[in-house]
Amino acid sequence: MHEWMGVCLGRPSLFLALCASVSLLGGLTFGYELAVISGALLPLQLDFGLSCSEQELLVGSLLLGALLASLVGGFLIDRYGRKQAILGSNLVLLAGSLSLSLASSLAWLVLGRSVAGFAISLSSMACCIYVSELVGPRQRGVLVSLYEAGITVGILLSYALNYALAGALWGWRHMFGWATAPALLQSLSLLLLPPGTVEAAAHRDLIPLQGGEATKLGLGRPRYSFLDLFRTRDNMRGRTMVGLGLVLCQQLTGQPNVLCYASTIFHSVGFRGASSAVLASVGLGAVKVAATLTAMGLVDRVGRRALLIAGCALMALSVSGIGLVSFAVPMDSGPSCLAVPNATRLSGFPGDSGLPSGLTPPLRPMTDQSPGRPVLSTSEKTKPHPGAGDPTALPLPALSIMPAARPSPAPEHALLHWTALVCMMLFVSAFSFSFGPVTWLVLSEVYPVEIRGRAFAFCNSFNWAANLFISLSFLDLIGAIGLSWTFLLYGLTAVFGLGFIYLFVPETKGQSLTEIDQQFQKRRFALSFGHRQSSAGIQYSRIEVSAAC
C-alpha cells in the first residue's frame, strides 16, 4: 500500500484526481443520505403506520446524530487524524445503513438514522479539512468546493433513485442501502492517499502542498486546548469570531425557510398540481448545481471574500424582493402535518448545505393518504404547529407548501408572480456560489492545524443549532409579523451579514495554510485582512528525507 501511495504522490495528476474523488464522493454520500428520506417516508408510513409525531422523530433523528458528531467529532479528527476519521465514519455509515435496510420497527429506523447522521456529519468535517491540507493553494478552493457540488448531485441522485424504486417491493430498504455505494468508493480512494501533509512530504523532497506547513508540523508543534479558541493567543478569538460569524450569517438569512415556499411560488406562476413540486425540487436543484460549479471556477480567481460579499448582497436584494412581492400578492399557504419547515436541512454544509453543506429537501405534493387534512393558512395561524416548538419533535423533509384550491392568478398579478420566481432563483444561486461552498472552505483554512478539527466542529455545532432555531421559529415568526415582513427581516439580516464579511472576513485566496496562520498571528483583529493580499510570497521548502522515513 505504501508503494501505491508513493506512485500517487509522484504523479500530481493522479494525486489530485484522488483528492477530488474523496471530496466529491463525500459530498455525494452526504447529500444522498440527507434527501433519501423524502422517497422513503411515504412507504414507511404505510408499512409501519407512522403518526405525524413518529415521522418527525424519524426525520429528526438524523439531526440528533449530526449534532452529536459536531460536538465530539472535532476531538476524534484531531486525535486520530483526518483520514482515519473519514474511514471510521464510512464504517459507521455502513452500520447505520444496514440498520435501516433491515429494520423491522420504528426503533431500529430511528437508530439507523441517528447513526447515519453521526457518520455524515463527522465525514463532512473531516473531508473538508483533509483535502484542504493535502493540496496546494491553487487547487484548494476548487477541491474543497467540490464537496458542496457533490452534496447537490447526491440530492438529485436520491430523487432519481426514489422515483425508480417507488413501486418496488420493499423499495425503501434499497433506497437506504444504496447510500453505502459512494462511501465504499471514497474509502478505496482514501487507501491510496497519505494520512496527512507530513506523510505526503515524506514521499517528496519538494513540497508544494502548504508552503512549509509540513516542515512546521515536524518541528516543535504548538499545543492548543479547546479553551484557546476564546483566548487572544495567536488571535484565536478573532478566528473564532470569523468562523461563528459565517455560519450564523448563512443560517440567519433564512435560507432553509425561504425555500419552504418554493413550491408555492412555482404554483403561483401557473405550474399546478404535482408539476409545481417537481419543478421546485428538480429546477432549484439544477440551479444549485450550476451556481456551485460557477463558484468552483471563481473561488481561486476572484477569491473567497469577493464571492461572499457578492452572494450576500444578492441574497439581501432577492429575499427582500420576495417579501415586497408578497405584500401585493399574498401567499396564504402554510405547512400541514406532512409539510412543515424542515429543521434537518443543512445550509452549505459540510453545511449545507448545508449544509456542507444550503440544501433543499425534495418538495412533493400532498398525497391521497391525507385527503381531508387542512392546509394551515399563515393568516389564520395563532400558535405553532404541534411539534414545531418541541426540539424533540422535528419537522419533516417532505415539503409541500401548496395553496389550498384557489383560482388562477389574475393577469395583473402575473408579472409579480414571475418576479417572485426570479427572486427565488437568484436567492438560491447567490447562496450556492457564496455561503454554500465558501463558508466551509474558509473554516478549513483559518485555524492552526493542531486544533483545526475541534475548531471546525465547534463552528459546525453552531450551524446545526442555528438551523434548528431558525426552522422551529419560522411558524411563530410568520404568525407574529406575517410572511412578507419575515422575508424582509431575512433581507435585513443579510445586510448585517454583508457588513460583517466586509469588516472581518479575510481573503485567503492564493495563500498557503501556513501563511494564513502567520497573518492571523501578526494581526489582532481580522479587520486587517480587508485589503487584497498577494500570493507571490509563497515559497517552497526542500527537506531532507532520511532512509528511515
Side-chain angles (χ1 to χ4, degrees):
M1 186 61 64
H2 288 287
E3 290 76 8
W4 277 105
M5 287 186 186
V7 171
C8 294
L9 290 170
R11 299 176 59 184
S13 59
L14 178 58
F15 178 77
L16 291 176
L18 289 173
C19 291
S21 68
V22 169
S23 185
L24 178 64
L25 291 171
L28 197 150
T29 303
F30 187 98
Y32 182 90
E33 193 66 63
L34 189 71
V36 69
I37 189 66
S38 64
L41 195 58
L42 181 58
L44 285 173
Q45 179 190 9
L46 298 177
D47 290 345
F48 293 93
L50 302 179
S51 64
C52 284
S53 60
E54 288 173 335
Q55 292 177 66
E56 291 172 349
L57 174 63
L58 176 58
V59 174
S61 57
L62 183 82
L63 174 59
L64 297 178
L67 276 173
L68 178 61
S70 68
L71 295 175
V72 304
F75 296 93
L76 297 176
I77 293 171
D78 284 338
R79 174 66 179 84
Y80 297 103
R82 289 72 161 122
K83 178 178 177 179
Q84 296 302 321
I86 301 173
L87 290 173
S89 68
N90 287 342
L91 289 177
V92 174
L93 179 66
L94 177 61
S97 297
L98 287 175
S99 175
L100 288 166
S101 298
L102 303 176
S104 58
S105 66
L106 176 63
W108 280 105
L109 290 170
V110 170
L111 176 63
R113 288 281 291 172
S114 300
V115 170
F118 183 95
I120 62 174
S121 180
L122 176 60
S123 177
S124 67
M125 296 183 290
C127 275
C128 290
I129 297 174
Y130 180 67
V131 173
S132 72
E133 292 176 346
L134 278 187
V135 301
R138 294 182 179 180
Q139 298 86 24
R140 189 169 62 239
V142 172
L143 293 184
V144 176
S145 300
L146 194 59
Y147 189 94
E148 180 74 12
I151 292 177
T152 309
V153 172
I155 293 175
L156 294 178
L157 179 62
S158 73
Y159 294 170
L161 282 179
N162 287 349
Y163 179 80
L165 297 172
L169 181 64
W170 302 114
W172 59 268
R173 299 186 186 273
H174 299 286
M175 295 176 190
F176 288 128
W178 274 105
T180 60
L184 291 176
L185 292 175
Q186 184 193 45
S187 298
L188 293 177
S189 297
L190 282 168
L191 295 178
L192 300 178
L193 290 171
T197 52
V198 173
E199 290 75 8
H203 289 83
R204 303 175 67 180
D205 64 341
L206 180 64
I207 307 176
L209 295 179
Q210 297 304 343
E213 175 161 317
T215 306
K216 173 186 171 184
L217 290 176
L219 301 173
R221 298 174 60 177
R223 294 188 176 184
Y224 296 93
S225 68
F226 179 76
L227 294 179
D228 284 330
L229 291 175
F230 314 101
R231 295 169 178 160
T232 57
R233 176 191 177 186
D234 295 337
N235 196 20
M236 293 299 293
R237 185 182 298 168
R239 306 179 200 226
T240 301
M241 180 183 68
V242 170
L244 290 182
L246 285 177
V247 298
L248 291 178
C249 283
Q250 74 167 3
Q251 292 293 344
L252 296 179
T253 50
Q255 194 264 353
N257 293 336
V258 171
L259 293 180
C260 289
Y261 279 81
S263 183
T264 297
I265 293 176
F266 273 82
H267 188 274
S268 69
V269 297
F271 297 103
R272 306 290 173 175
S275 64
S276 170
V278 173
L279 286 174
S281 57
V282 178
L284 291 179
V287 169
K288 286 176 66 65
V289 170
T292 304
L293 293 177
T294 301
M296 290 173 55
L298 296 177
V299 69
D300 285 321
R301 296 182 181 181
V302 304
R304 289 77 157 135
R305 175 183 164 86
L307 285 180
L308 284 172
I309 290 176
C312 194
L314 187 56
M315 288 173 65
L317 291 174
S318 57
V319 76
S320 298
I322 298 174
L324 292 175
V325 168
S326 63
F327 272 121
V329 187
M331 290 181 286
D332 289 329
S333 58
S336 72
C337 176
L338 293 178
V340 293
N342 179 13
T344 68
R345 280 173 294 162
L346 294 180
S347 296
F349 216 120
D352 114 168
S353 137
L355 94 241
S357 239
L359 301 179
T360 308
L363 311 173
R364 72 181 185 193
M366 296 299 293
T367 67
D368 293 335
Q369 302 303 320
S370 54
R373 196 179 302 282
V375 176
L376 178 63
S377 170
T378 56
S379 61
E380 298 173 357
K381 175 189 172 297
T382 57
K383 62 181 180 179
H385 186 276
D390 181 4
T392 63
L394 298 174
L396 301 177
L399 292 181
S400 176
I401 304 181
M402 298 179 63
R406 69 181 185 186
S408 300
E412 60 269 18
H413 290 160
L415 179 60
L416 291 177
H417 287 154
W418 282 101
T419 301
L421 177 59
V422 171
C423 287
M424 174 68 72
M425 292 294 191
L426 288 176
F427 184 86
V428 172
S429 300
F431 183 90
S432 298
F433 73 71
S434 59
F435 282 117
V438 178
T439 296
W440 310 106
L441 173 59
V442 172
L443 284 179
S444 68
E445 295 175 326
V446 299
Y447 290 103
V449 64
E450 295 80 13
I451 198 175
R452 192 169 291 145
R454 284 165 287 172
F456 197 104
F458 175 71
C459 294
N460 191 20
S461 66
F462 270 79
N463 178 74
W464 284 97
N467 182 285
L468 178 63
F469 170 77
I470 291 297
S471 298
L472 294 183
S473 64
F474 188 45
L475 291 179
D476 291 314
L477 193 59
I478 290 177
I481 64 177
L483 181 63
S484 298
W485 284 109
T486 298
F487 284 166
L488 291 176
L489 179 61
Y490 289 152
L492 180 62
T493 304
V495 172
F496 283 113
L498 183 62
F500 173 83
I501 295 168
Y502 180 79
L503 293 175
F504 299 111
V505 176
E507 178 56 77
T508 58
K509 177 190 68 172
Q511 300 179 69
S512 70
L513 297 183
T514 299
E515 289 177 320
I516 296 170
D517 185 35
Q518 292 172 349
Q519 292 291 339
F520 265 106
Q521 292 182 25
K522 292 177 182 177
R523 291 170 171 82
R524 184 174 181 83
F525 297 103
L527 178 60
S528 303
F529 287 96
H531 61 278
R532 182 176 178 179
Q533 300 174 5
S534 172
S535 60
I538 298 177
Q539 297 184 358
Y540 299 97
S541 304
R542 263 182 204 282
I543 63 172
E544 298 296 332
V545 181
S546 64
C549 293

